[in-house]
Amino acid sequence: MGKQGKKPALSLAKKMGISLVCGLVVGLLLLFARESLTSSGNAALWGTINNLLFQDITAAGAESAIGIFYLIGQLFIRALQLIIVPMVFTSITLAIGQISDTKTLGRISAKTLIWFLICSFFALVLACSVGDILYSAGLFNVAEVEGLAGSAGSTGSNPLNVILNMVPSNIATAFSSNTAVLAIVFLAVSLGLAMNALGEEKTATLRKLVQELNDVVVVFLNYVVNTFGPIAIFMLLARTFATYGIDYLKPALAYVLVAVVLLLLYLIVGYPLIVAIATRKNPITFLKKISNVAVFGFSTSSSAAALPLNLKTCTEDFGVDETIASFVLPLGMTINMNGTAIMQVIATLFIAGCAGYSVTLPQLIIIALLALIASAGTPAAPGAGAIVLFTILSGVGFVNEGALLAYALILAINRPIEMLVTALNVVGDAVTSICVAKSEGLLDEAKYDQQ
């Protein structure tokens, strides 16, 4: 007798979806439990539960905490962050090294930047038009902000520093930091071009070394994502709701609702429309296949952590040629931040309303341009978007006491928004890779259409 066939294993996308639903349900239950315990005088009991499951064990005063959910979630994110630098460096080096025609490389680079700008333009038009209407209607005049403690946050800096920092002064420094990804991109492109100039014969050993390192990174990535991804995402989501109570959301409910609606609108409607118009492919197929990447970005709040899965999805599920995906996605992770731009525009208008500033059309255009430039310089890490927001506030002069109080509120409540922002950022990178691949005739349409 033959062996009974085993049930087919769940796909990664289904596992991610189940983790998302379970994480949201458990998180909402934990949020309800937190509010019930604290309002009934049992805050000490919640404190014990929090120390056991959710506490950030690196925070001051948490020396005796266990923080199981925090610990497992951070171990997973750190495992992904561990391979960011080698993965970006090897994948881009190989991608550039395989394009011997400099005209082709220049054309792909130009198309990539054009599609980044197209996606960002429509995101900013949506955010500015809707945000200005709601600002003019007085929706962002939130009185509760006055009760907050002020915070200066991060000091503003010239957004053009992004260009300056792209060329590192020390190669060791560039490789020792996950926040210097744009510098890694520059080094990888430079190495790839140099390998092309020398020819395959003189660089055969180096090419083999880079290829083998890339293979090792891919094996490590697949193991971490497939084995630990779903459980880690469940814990990250559940902990987010458990640690951010209702009191954080009440004072700026208008900002939260507007930001969430606009981000979801661009994610669910905007991106599929761009794909459909640019490639004439089914937008519903795109939504279904990109969902696991969106869930992953939402759960980790880190574009860098989602990059490995995004590469895997674009090449294996959408049929994007590896040379295109390996160039577009790491570059997009550093400069293509559509979700961040939307959030920063809405947050700036919210702060202007709270602080009593009037926003004219020229100022709105300046806000949009600063959001575009500043978002390109936002590190691909959790919480970075709200910190870089201070650059925009400084640029338009929204720095009075009321603005700083409202900015403090944004810092306090923005974690759930940042999760959705990251989902938009990583999906936007995938959109660009698909559009560029289609224009170059490097999109495997059979793979894209496969259900």
Side-chain angles (χ1 to χ4, degrees):
M1 294 178 63
K3 293 182 180 179
Q4 289 185 343
K6 295 182 179 179
K7 291 183 178 179
L10 288 175
S11 66
L12 181 61
K14 290 181 179 179
K15 290 179 181 178
M16 293 295 184
I18 292 172
S19 297
L20 173 66
V21 173
C22 293
L24 290 175
V25 171
V26 172
L28 290 173
L29 291 174
L30 288 168
L31 177 61
F32 176 75
R34 169 185 172 143
E35 298 299 324
S36 298
L37 289 173
T38 52
S39 62
S40 61
N42 292 313
L45 176 58
W46 175 255
T48 302
I49 296 173
N50 184 64
N51 284 334
L52 176 64
L53 298 178
F54 312 118
Q55 178 63 47
D56 177 355
I57 60 174
T58 65
E63 290 79 7
S64 60
I66 299 175
I68 296 173
F69 278 47
Y70 172 84
L71 194 62
I72 294 177
Q74 288 302 307
L75 286 173
F76 175 69
I77 290 177
R78 289 188 179 206
L80 292 174
Q81 290 174 334
L82 179 66
I83 61 171
I84 289 171
V85 169
M87 182 186 63
V88 170
F89 182 75
T90 57
S91 62
I92 291 183
T93 299
L94 291 172
I96 299 299
Q98 291 170 4
I99 303 175
S100 57
D101 184 358
T102 54
K103 289 184 179 180
T104 300
L105 177 59
R107 188 175 65 249
I108 292 174
S109 300
K111 287 181 178 179
T112 299
L113 293 176
I114 288 171
W115 277 110
F116 284 164
L117 289 173
I118 289 173
C119 292
S120 297
F121 173 77
F122 287 117
L124 288 169
V125 167
L126 175 66
C128 288
S129 56
V130 175
D132 187 53
I133 291 172
L134 298 177
Y135 164 83
S136 301
L139 190 66
F140 293 149
N141 298 335
V142 183
E144 290 92 332
V145 173
E146 296 175 3
L148 289 175
S151 171
S154 171
T155 56
S157 62
N158 192 320
L160 293 176
N161 281 331
V162 174
I163 299 174
L164 185 63
N165 293 332
M166 183 175 66
V167 181
S169 59
N170 187 299
I171 191 170
T173 303
F175 278 94
S176 65
S177 173
N178 283 343
T179 61
V181 177
L182 202 54
I184 297 297
V185 171
F186 172 80
L187 291 172
V189 170
S190 300
L191 179 59
L193 291 174
M195 288 166 55
N196 281 338
L198 290 171
E200 290 190 19
E201 185 176 346
K202 290 185 178 181
T203 59
T205 303
L206 180 57
R207 289 173 187 267
K208 185 178 180 182
L209 175 63
V210 175
Q211 182 63 63
E212 290 178 351
L213 180 58
N214 182 258
D215 293 341
V216 170
V217 167
V218 170
V219 170
F220 179 82
L221 159 69
N222 288 336
Y223 180 75
V224 171
V225 170
N226 292 326
T227 306
F228 301 107
I231 185 66
I233 283 176
F234 165 76
M235 291 188 170
L236 286 165
L237 284 176
R239 178 182 177 273
T240 296
F241 282 90
T243 53
Y244 290 85
I246 292 175
D247 289 339
Y248 282 100
L249 301 178
K250 281 182 180 177
L253 187 59
Y255 161 71
V256 173
L257 289 178
V258 171
V260 167
V261 169
L262 289 184
L263 291 168
L264 283 175
L265 184 65
Y266 202 63
L267 178 66
I268 298 173
V269 179
Y271 282 145
L273 277 177
I274 292 173
V275 171
I277 294 171
T279 68
R280 302 193 182 280
K281 304 304 294 182
N282 190 336
I284 303 301
T285 301
F286 169 77
L287 270 180
K288 288 179 179 178
K289 291 189 174 184
I290 203 63
S291 60
N292 61 331
V293 176
V295 169
F296 202 89
F298 179 81
S299 306
T300 60
S301 293
S302 171
S303 298
L307 176 60
L309 181 60
N310 209 1
L311 275 166
K312 180 183 174 71
T313 301
C314 285
T315 54
E316 296 181 7
D317 294 340
F318 289 121
V320 176
D321 188 88
E322 192 172 346
T323 57
I324 300 294
S326 297
F327 176 75
V328 173
L329 296 179
L331 185 62
M333 182 190 72
T334 60
I335 66 173
N336 186 38
M337 303 282 187
N338 303 318
T340 304
I342 291 175
M343 180 274 291
Q344 289 173 340
V345 168
I346 299 301
T348 302
L349 290 173
F350 166 75
I351 291 170
C354 293
Y357 286 103
S358 60
V359 179
T360 62
L361 180 59
Q363 282 181 313
L364 188 63
I365 294 173
I366 292 173
I367 290 171
L369 291 174
L370 287 174
L372 177 64
I373 298 171
S375 63
T378 302
I387 300 299
V388 176
L389 171 63
F390 199 78
T391 299
I392 301 175
L393 298 179
S394 301
V396 290
F398 295 168
V399 291
N400 68 9
E401 185 178 356
L404 292 180
L405 291 172
Y407 176 63
L409 178 61
I410 294 293
L411 293 180
I413 67 173
N414 216 51
R415 172 64 174 173
I417 303 296
E418 288 277 1
M419 297 169 73
L420 191 53
V421 161
T422 308
L424 245 76
N425 290 343
V426 296
V427 172
D429 298 339
V431 169
T432 296
S433 71
I434 292 171
C435 294
V436 172
K438 173 67 175 180
S439 68
E440 286 290 311
L442 296 174
L443 180 68
D444 187 337
E445 299 192 27
K447 276 188 179 180
Y448 183 102
D449 295 330
Q450 188 176 12
Q451 298 297 324

